[in-house]
Amino acid sequence: MKLVFNGHDEKYVVEQSLMNLFPCEKPVYEPIGPDDDAWAIVSLQETKGQCEVTVEIGYHGVTCTCRDCRPLSGSDFQQEGQRRYTVGACFYQAFTRVLERLSPEEQHRGSLKLPPWGMLTGVRPDKPIVRALAAGKTPEQARGELETLYFASPERSALALETGTMALRAARRLDSRDIDLYVGIPFCPTRCAYCSFVAQSVERSFALVPPYVKALINEIRAGGRMVQEQNLRPRAFYMGGGTPTTLTAQQMDAVLTALEESFDLSHCDEITVEAGRPDTITAEKLAVLKTHGVTRVSVNPQTMEDPVLRAIGRCHSAADIERAMELVNAYRFPHVNMDLIAGLPEDTPDGFRRSLDRCLAFGTDNITIHTLALKKGSRILMEGLTIPGPEEVSEMLDYAAPLLRSAGFAPYYLYRQKYMSGSFENIGWCKPDAQCWYNVDIMAEICSILSFGAAGSTKMVEPGTNHIERVFNVKYPKEYTERPEKCLSNQAAFAEFYQKYVY
């Protein structure tokens, strides 16, 4: 779609809106010709504290125009947000007028429909709900704003109210110097077809693991000293990946021992470790986790269908998952999570139903339902693997929600990713008091996250504000082991942030 801007350069919000509303179109910045059948002119002008936006869209012979005018107030940062909102809202409303005038065949050809989250394109669509509730608005008012200001569907606004309420509950349990800890283990037995994370296959990089563990322990010990000096208090710990249980039992023991010796975990409500792949789970490793007081283990089959497991490159079967879950349950961890992905290659609505039914039969109290995101660099895109269409993915999700509710689960956090099938979302479901606070904290951005390991993303949050800063560890395991100064620099930035902004 050809895009023309007048009076502004809000490329990001327009491109995100285009991706959300016209999924088959890509932005093109060229003059509009008489024969072009997909274009938009987005104009903005400011007068007397008002932001007036006009959007004209031409699409396959249909042309519609929308105008929107909003006041500008507050700081420069706040006014920039108001401009972006007005541009996005006006573009969305122009799109709805185009959609109304297109035939069903033309809508289907362009994959055009009203997105369930309306004009919202970000990772955290329940943030407006959290802000409204924190400002003292009633749940009904918060829901109403999501529907009227952002055009979210009633079903999604109700979902956002549930997860937003949990986020507010999470925020109120935290003091200003509370933080979360994250340790990343960027190794997996094999690389899944949907994955684009920076993770090494252990089959190809086994020699990298011992030096990586040594460097990781050094970084954890340095971080522990910094946290103690700044009088910070860890409240949740999460070890993710990759697949943390690709480490040996001895390596896992060494990492968790360093954690315990470096940090005061007396106020840490939860210690979560992703056991991930069943082909990495052994009794010896689970015994180590149990000894170190791990409160939650996450087993992530993604599917219980053998043809789908083969299609995504897993070297295990559904029967292996069954055996791994029997072993995990035998150790009686307080909480167990399982992950499924709706929309995987070779999957069907019936196959997804069978997978979810089997996961519920294990008695787990925490289930995360992901929607497939088509990530650049994944084998799904690079090899053109066949995946279910948006209608089939919708059928999978429509089965999951009522079944989980009937089994005593409720949604407690959600997030979205780019290029998700059907523009849906990922939802964490749990039974009462089985929520993972780390997941809520990181998605609601209410708590600083001090990260360790390659590709670690450390997030610094000034309590009670939208002020967030980030620093990043180097991406690749080998480079990580060779550049410890980068980790120390990030920890110094973390300390400086707390000295400057948190009292």
Side-chain angles (χ1 to χ4, degrees), residues 38-64:
W39 52 267
I41 302 172
V42 183
S43 305
L44 184 153
Q45 86 176 45
E46 294 180 29
T47 55
K48 298 180 180 179
Q50 298 284 318
C51 174
E52 182 175 332
V53 175
T54 302
V55 176
E56 185 179 6
I57 296 178
Y59 189 78
H60 291 211
V62 172
T63 302
C64 293

Side-chain angles (χ1 to χ4, degrees), residues 132-153:
L133 294 174
K137 295 185 178 179
T138 67
E140 293 75 17
Q141 290 171 326
R143 270 194 68 181
E145 286 188 358
L146 202 66
E147 295 175 21
T148 58
L149 294 180
Y150 299 95
F151 314 105
S153 70

Side-chain angles (χ1 to χ4, degrees), residues 145-170:
E145 286 188 358
L146 202 66
E147 295 175 21
T148 58
L149 294 180
Y150 299 95
F151 314 105
S153 70
E155 294 78 15
R156 289 310 186 274
S157 70
L159 173 63
L161 180 60
E162 290 184 273
T163 58
T165 300
M166 182 64 79
L168 191 62
R169 179 181 160 193

Side-chain angles (χ1 to χ4, degrees), residues 25 39 63 76 88 100 137 210 356 370 390 421 425 478:
E25 299 290 335
W39 52 267
T63 302
D76 290 345
E100 290 171 355
K137 295 185 178 179
L356 181 54
H370 296 270
S421 297
E425 64 283 314
K478 187 174 187 299

Side-chain angles (χ1 to χ4, degrees), residues 7 12 26-27 52 60 105 114 135 149 170-171 183 190 223 227 242 293 317 320 326 341 386 429-430 444 461 464:
Y12 180 79
K26 293 183 178 180
E52 182 175 332
H60 291 211
E105 292 76 20
L114 291 176
L149 294 180
V183 166
T190 58
V227 164
S317 67
D320 294 326
E326 288 178 7
I341 299 177
T386 302
W429 296 81
C430 71
V461 179

